[in-house]
Amino acid sequence: MEYKVKDISLAPKGKLMVEWAEQHMPVLRHIRQKYSEEKPLKGIKIAACMHVTKETAVLMLTLRDAGAEVALSASNPLSTQDPVAAYLATEGISIFAWRGMKEDEYFEAIARAASIGPNITMDDGGDLTVMIHKLAHGITEGIDYRIGKEFLSSDIAKGIYGGTEETTTGVIRLKALEKDGKLLYPVIAVNDSKTKYMFDNRYGTGQSSLDGILRATNILFAGKNVVVAGYGWVGRGIAWRAKGLGARVLVVEPDPIKALEAYYDGFYVSDMSTAAELGDVFITATGNRDVIRTEHFLKMKSGAILANAGHFNVEISVADLEKIAVSKRKINENVEEYLLPNNRRLYLIAEGRLVNLAAAEGHPSEVMDLSFGNQALAVKTLLKKHVSLRPKVYRLPGSIDRKIAYIKLKALGVKIEKLTPEQKKYLESWSS
Amino acid sequence: MEYKVKDISLAPKGKLMVEWAEQHMPVLRHIRQKYSEEKPLKGIKIAACMHVTKETAVLMLTLRDAGAEVALSASNPLSTQDPVAAYLATEGISIFAWRGMKEDEYFEAIARAASIGPNITMDDGGDLTVMIHKLAHGITEGIDYRIGKEFLSSDIAKGIYGGTEETTTGVIRLKALEKDGKLLYPVIAVNDSKTKYMFDNRYGTGQSSLDGILRATNILFAGKNVVVAGYGWVGRGIAWRAKGLGARVLVVEPDPIKALEAYYDGFYVSDMSTAAELGDVFITATGNRDVIRTEHFLKMKSGAILANAGHFNVEISVADLEKIAVSKRKINENVEEYLLPNNRRLYLIAEGRLVNLAAAEGHPSEVMDLSFGNQALAVKTLLKKHVSLRPKVYRLPGSIDRKIAYIKLKALGVKIEKLTPEQKKYLESWSS
Amino acid sequence: MEYKVKDISLAPKGKLMVEWAEQHMPVLRHIRQKYSEEKPLKGIKIAACMHVTKETAVLMLTLRDAGAEVALSASNPLSTQDPVAAYLATEGISIFAWRGMKEDEYFEAIARAASIGPNITMDDGGDLTVMIHKLAHGITEGIDYRIGKEFLSSDIAKGIYGGTEETTTGVIRLKALEKDGKLLYPVIAVNDSKTKYMFDNRYGTGQSSLDGILRATNILFAGKNVVVAGYGWVGRGIAWRAKGLGARVLVVEPDPIKALEAYYDGFYVSDMSTAAELGDVFITATGNRDVIRTEHFLKMKSGAILANAGHFNVEISVADLEKIAVSKRKINENVEEYLLPNNRRLYLIAEGRLVNLAAAEGHPSEVMDLSFGNQALAVKTLLKKHVSLRPKVYRLPGSIDRKIAYIKLKALGVKIEKLTPEQKKYLESWSS
Amino acid sequence: MEYKVKDISLAPKGKLMVEWAEQHMPVLRHIRQKYSEEKPLKGIKIAACMHVTKETAVLMLTLRDAGAEVALSASNPLSTQDPVAAYLATEGISIFAWRGMKEDEYFEAIARAASIGPNITMDDGGDLTVMIHKLAHGITEGIDYRIGKEFLSSDIAKGIYGGTEETTTGVIRLKALEKDGKLLYPVIAVNDSKTKYMFDNRYGTGQSSLDGILRATNILFAGKNVVVAGYGWVGRGIAWRAKGLGARVLVVEPDPIKALEAYYDGFYVSDMSTAAELGDVFITATGNRDVIRTEHFLKMKSGAILANAGHFNVEISVADLEKIAVSKRKINENVEEYLLPNNRRLYLIAEGRLVNLAAAEGHPSEVMDLSFGNQALAVKTLLKKHVSLRPKVYRLPGSIDRKIAYIKLKALGVKIEKLTPEQKKYLESWSS
């Protein structure tokens, strides 16, 4: 077992963090206990590319206890919690992750974790999956291909039964891959489970993105004009919480149905060009690139704060900002000030990387419990069904989704209504 | 052209009401103007069974102006706005509807409207569709069959190209019909358009159900324990608005995912048995029957108020209430007091019929604009496509959904973001 | 005992309404029961000028059962609930009130009720008090003086021990009277009890003003730009509830501290000139006149709705509207359409009179219970203390305020925390 | 000039922090600029005992630029931002403060700052004022007396023109001092300015207390039962924001009026004994002691989190917790786990010290701007008026309060309504 972490002596601190997380993750605890006895993943190799947080650690240990051999790399250069990484290294996980990796180190870590020769891949954003597919299809452009080539054979995909994907962004990439006819094995879009996107994306990113901005800036949300780009699950999570803290929220959204929903939800709705002049804080959550760019930067008020809650650091065009800025300076660990030619100052949080992981601790354990419950059950599903699955993007069946919700409710002590036989029958009849 | 309404002299009042509605319905106004010129429904007969409100009137006049011959009956004995019915009668619509119809009058009205021999049916809850299907399949039980038989031939379905259905309840019945292999023609579930259920059900029923309770009781929502049964689109619309008025809201829901969502949305969640003891106001929105029944009534606090926001008056078991009550008396037009053997008093609004139509004016025009925009486009779609459609329940395509949202936003003066070509391309790529 | 009401045969209906109200008024019920035994108002004459609603009826019956002789007139030409007035007439109250009084009838009713020769006056807005003071000081201008003169002697004030006042508006007038050195007897500003203004004004008017607009127009609040003029207790009650129903709310307020509060509460804040262009619905709650006037009307969008929640119908300048309108027509019982020279249409609710009483049923019983609990205790306080009181505006002591809250909480079954002796001592010490 | 700080080399980092704060403090910036020119505090000595944060630094520099000689000590052992302290030392402020002071170091710092021989004292919680009064009155008990004696003469109070006090807690102590007849000089209760308590306490502590809990625990607020003890300005700030983040909030409050308000605001209300069993998170904001104590700890769920937002660390009885705990361990920098005899685990944040300063960065600059605007103007008021003031607790006049709000609104670009002369006159008249 190999590993590369910042400081192995941080392991005891990491252990406490992971214990704290597990305490708030009853679904995963339930699965871990069951799998520890049944060992359903015995003999299976898993390569995961995920944010190395205390919650991910609980998932990795669950997979290990289920019998799997696990290798893990970070899915973002800034999101690793170093004590957690250290602790995982001491617990038999092949881990390659530290906070502040450079770009080549980041892809090397992915490649080294993948060099385990996985049966299952777990991905968060799609970087591992894309590396494997570039190698397989000989698509040579990009740093990921170049580094992957050093560590991996081009037929690594052949040993893979299937994969899982955690994020909206990753699922968009997978569907593009599928549409191109290039997807090589089945992937379960864990993101598309209701117990994932309706909870983790909305409540989790919703809260933790604001938390990241608070830790970086200590601003008062009450009274601020907060511009939220994107009214998907993440965007609405952010919008509602910002409103709940007393902000006026302005939503920018290209889809007319979502835009109309935001309008009737009581938010202001406009295009970014208009919003740029009004906002005090801008938060992107679109899965798209260049959502805020030169034309917008130049219209903003001095003092405007920019943060990204989407997976990749392309939503706010940092390249544009660097190009037009007269000068820049670091205000604190996670805030950079850009002075524009119009003499206004813009403040970029965490280099435009996803703010909840870079400037705070990522999603709270309570929602990751649901997401990672889905991950664990997705791995088991892939093992059981992979022979009959085609190289497509799948969802977990509704029954698994409901089961996870049910375990969570039980752990929370919440009683739900039961239908009577007459009620079930009534729902199936049409004549009365 | 025949009609039966309460008082034809109310037509001028109805005209003002319909004008007011149309003023708040820019999508339908846009369609009406276009159809008035193009006459796409020329020669077509339409039988509709819908709540006879000022908004429905705008839809009927749109269909008429598009060239159709239109017959209309009420879809609920208590929901007709008599001035509107009178006005429609003066405008060339064959209408059979008045507030306070008896059960046999209600079904006779449906049958008489259907006797036009429709090419298209429009339904709200499914009573018209079920009558036609009972006749066709010779399912003789029920008052609807008996009365339908008097007015209609059993092969009336043969002339029908297709139908539309407005409600969740109706769609549930249609799917049961389809599942039984008995559906005879394609039906477009207008309810399943996003611009319908996400707006009309949530914002429309959400507000108007509380409005109905207010008009019937004038209670203060602030400080009340409001129990909402069902956390579907209607239920959550009610729950959020009740919270917005200062109530503590308790959600009762059998689906674990929805229950968990309500929990994380900050509501109390429990089963009805627990909720029965706590609630000051109970509102059902489930599409199911006997959601509140004897076992619950007996646990309730004296003074508890009961209202139903679902389509049929079976959600609160009025039969149970009548059976256990020691006595009852009418408090005002829409409130009945039941004295229970335990000496507590329960207050039932509008006989358990859907409260927003029976005790208030139904959905505001602003959302019916979206729903009926879908209805109008669904009728046109059926005409164009019915040859290639099978006897199944269909949705309108997403492009129509988005188009309706787009027209509405434009009318509201709301600008939405446009994707750049680079952004569109990015969303379709997987390699970077 | 004399009376003048619309239709005495409505009394049975009024009885049911009053019973319903009393059921939701545990504080007043508690006081009524106590006073029925103790008869603390025996031999006392009370003249009241108040909105004749079912809740006021409970207060009048409480005073009667306490031994007083009671005469009542309406405090607004449009706010009388005729069945309630009829019922009170059958219960031994000298009542002069019907919905839709003309101006001279309105003042005549006040004078006739006052002709009882009261020891105590109860006022809601100050019209009774002002009439008495005009007579006493020989201030001859105004219709109130002219009509008062017909029915009352100029030394009627001499028999008065004291008065009570219910509203913000009335208290403003009383303080102006006191400042002018013209106030002739002590008045208790019931409005200034915390259990009054923080509850009745905020929760009561907040909800019922929106209710009135809904009953008059059936608009959807979600998605509307609602302009609230005044961020006092009434204004903030309206603003928060409108937000809770999904509106975007814009506050117009001259006081910088309240304006800043509205800003940090997440509302938009501006002057009326700016707001006029943006609003879909305008609601005034300022206690001031001409808050919306010609310069604003001319900037408004076509379709804008205007409603007043303040005591007098001077907040929206109906005079200005009448002057600039090209034509007007009645849309329904409570909506009038004004066509402006710029071809836009504005919709005025209830002639600019206080919308919650004119277009809905006024405050819910639950909050009037608190306000009228204060009224009842204020009358008793005046009787006990009037010898030592000077002609000033007084508040009820905090102990009575807290007592009312305490009775209410007990009736609601709410437990509150009790301080330990150590805690009480701690709060009184400074050295540790 | 003397100073004692953690590490003077942190000054450049502190400078950036202070600049960031000042950028968000337009009111203080306005005053600083004006005072820099006018030097109104020339020759005056000020001893301040305040949280040493970046915002306090802006106030201190404002006082310095106004001509005063300034000495500063911390008002809490855990609240000092060390880089800020270092920066102030380099800017000519006599500062004695570092994070993690021991109790005797804390009081020594106060005494050393006071040894400047102040004309004005500025206090936050009253520790400086109490020390001076103990010395003056010879009240020898307490560590503050003992240490004060070492550094200060007993007649230090004689040179003092007056003081200011920032907090609710401090004002309670001052009023007790005044009631005892022992207050020696006038004190302005800055806390009692509306632009202070309605903003800093509500929006500032409201947000930053939740922020502190988030930084310490990373829990998800959505779905949590949050118990808030105290529904004063701080408590309601916390309650509303917790609700805005999706929590169910339960309020514990001994005052019946505030309890009733919380009830109608839609919160659950109960005593602590009941709440103890239900809560997931407990936050105290009462100004009282032992609000949560043994009887409550023993009823709590395992995993419950305890935080204090009140000034002193006596609201949660840490003594009781230490006494009943079987063992304790540190989970992370700001969380301690207590294992109880019933085998449940409770988690105490920041040793029960005020959570927003100990676990986060205290109030955001935006609200401190208002509070410290009041402080600056209070100092100037004391200088101008102290001759005519008696040893009492004073408020700043309403005109200063409104002026601060006005400057803030102007800086925010918010237009407020102006009354016309007719409107002003109307508000002063009673006869029409």
Side-chain angles (χ1 to χ4, degrees), chain B residues 348-413:
Chain B
L348 179 66
I349 312 297
E351 304 170 17
R353 294 183 192 277
L354 72 187
V355 68
N356 65 332
L357 278 152
E361 296 176 53
H363 304 291
S365 311
E366 291 90 332
V367 285
M368 294 314 297
D369 187 30
L370 295 167
S371 305
F372 286 167
N374 278 284
Q375 284 282 6
L377 298 188
V379 168
K380 201 178 159 192
T381 301
L382 279 172
L383 278 193
K384 260 171 55 183
K385 303 259 176 97
H386 71 97
V387 182
S388 62
L389 297 176
R390 284 175 299 150
K392 287 182 53 178
V393 180
Y394 288 92
R395 289 189 182 203
L396 279 176
S399 57
I400 288 187
D401 223 350
R402 281 193 296 278
K403 184 180 167 184
I404 288 169
Y406 191 78
I407 299 172
K408 187 77 166 186
L409 284 166
K410 215 176 150 185
L412 290 166

Side-chain angles (χ1 to χ4, degrees), chain C residues 143-194:
Chain C
I143 184 172
D144 49 349
Y145 177 83
R146 185 170 51 72
I147 292 178
K149 196 72 192 158
E150 282 179 44
F151 290 85
L152 303 173
S153 99
S154 62
D155 59 1
I156 181 169
K158 292 188 180 149
I160 300 177
Y161 303 161
T164 70
E165 170 55 49
E166 175 74 10
T167 65
T168 309
T169 295
V171 172
I172 291 174
R173 295 176 90 187
L174 283 167
K175 287 188 175 164
L177 201 48
E178 181 186 342
K179 208 176 152 198
D180 271 13
K182 294 210 166 64
L183 188 63
L184 296 168
Y185 47 81
V187 183
I188 293 182
V190 164
N191 182 72
D192 293 354
S193 290
K194 286 183 178 178

Side-chain angles (χ1 to χ4, degrees), chain A residues 72-93:
Chain A
L72 172 65
S73 66
S75 60
N76 183 295
L78 282 184
S79 67
T80 297
Q81 296 169 346
D82 290 317
V84 169
Y87 173 56
L88 283 177
T90 68
E91 285 287 315
I93 309 295

Side-chain angles (χ1 to χ4, degrees), chain A residues 20 23-24, chain D residues 280-281 300-305 344-347:
Chain A
W20 175 261
Q23 208 174 316
H24 293 87
Chain D
D280 299 308
V281 181
M300 289 179 182
K301 297 193 271 192
S302 195
I305 289 168
R344 298 183 194 163
R345 292 165 197 278
L346 304 184
Y347 295 88

Side-chain angles (χ1 to χ4, degrees), chain A residues 16 19-20 23 54 203 207 214-215 217-221 224 244 329-331 347 361 364 366, chain D residues 16 19-20 23 54 203 207 214-215 217-221 224 244 329-331 347 361-362 364 366:
Chain A
L16 281 175
E19 279 178 23
W20 175 261
Q23 208 174 316
K54 57 192 186 302
Y203 308 112
Q207 176 183 293
L214 274 181
R215 296 193 200 201
T217 66
N218 202 39
I219 56 163
L220 181 75
F221 272 105
K224 287 283 185 302
R329 62 172 184 159
K330 200 167 180 172
I331 293 297
Y347 294 88
E361 296 176 53
E366 292 91 331
Chain D
L16 281 174
E19 278 178 23
W20 175 260
Q23 206 174 319
K54 57 193 185 301
Y203 307 112
Q207 175 183 295
L214 274 180
R215 297 193 198 200
T217 66
N218 202 38
I219 56 163
L220 181 74
F221 272 105
K224 287 283 184 304
R329 61 172 185 158
K330 199 166 180 174
I331 293 298
Y347 295 88
E361 296 175 54
E366 291 90 333

Side-chain angles (χ1 to χ4, degrees), chain D residues 78-116:
Chain D
L78 281 183
S79 66
T80 297
Q81 295 168 348
D82 290 318
V84 168
Y87 173 57
L88 283 177
T90 68
E91 285 287 316
I93 309 295
S94 293
I95 179 161
F96 307 89
W98 58 97
R99 189 180 164 90
M101 304 170 98
K102 301 214 187 69
E103 200 183 12
D104 53 347
E105 292 171 333
Y106 171 73
F107 285 108
E108 180 177 327
I110 292 176
R112 289 183 66 181
S115 69
I116 191 177

Side-chain angles (χ1 to χ4, degrees), chain B residues 46-94:
Chain B
I46 298 176
C49 174
M50 307 194 82
H51 300 295
V52 180
T53 63
K54 57 193 187 301
E55 291 80 16
T56 298
V58 182
L59 175 60
M60 294 300 125
L61 297 173
T62 300
L63 299 174
R64 181 202 66 181
D65 290 355
E69 190 182 335
V70 182
L72 173 65
S73 66
S75 61
N76 183 295
L78 282 184
S79 67
T80 297
Q81 295 169 346
D82 288 318
V84 169
Y87 173 56
L88 283 177
T90 67
E91 284 287 316
I93 309 295
S94 293

